[in-house]
Amino acid sequence: MNRQLACAVDDLAPGESMTLEGDQIALHRAEDGTFFATADSCTHEKWSLGTEGEIEGDELVCPLHMARFELSSGKPLCLPATVMLATYQVEVDGDQVYVLSQ
Ligand code: FES
């Protein structure tokens, strides 16, 4: 298991997303302050959800063709996405945010 330092808690405002170093993982912060990590690339086509994705409630929207995913599970909620988005465990340790991946 790889524990990657993502950012400090205050580096990501609620409702925002960022792509982590390596470009494979996106970190999202829901409006209530909860962090989620998913694959960076939309499963419909290759599009960065860390850079371009939009958070609406507990859903992540890909603005290219408006696919929606459940933030917590990566489950696709509408077309054109039909494939699950990979999700990763997030740990908040003090004021640092870590993402656990294989
Ligand atoms: S690339 Fe994300 S919906 Fe098409």
Side-chain angles (χ1 to χ4, degrees), residues 32-68:
D32 69 358
T34 309
F35 288 93
F36 296 94
T38 68
D40 184 66
S41 183
C42 181
T43 61
H44 174 233
E45 289 178 6
K46 194 165 167 43
W47 197 253
S48 173
L49 297 170
T51 308
E52 305 284 348
E54 290 169 13
I55 294 171
E56 289 184 11
D58 59 359
E59 298 177 4
L60 175 62
V61 182
C62 176
L64 193 58
H65 309 106
M66 303 310 286
R68 304 177 85 91

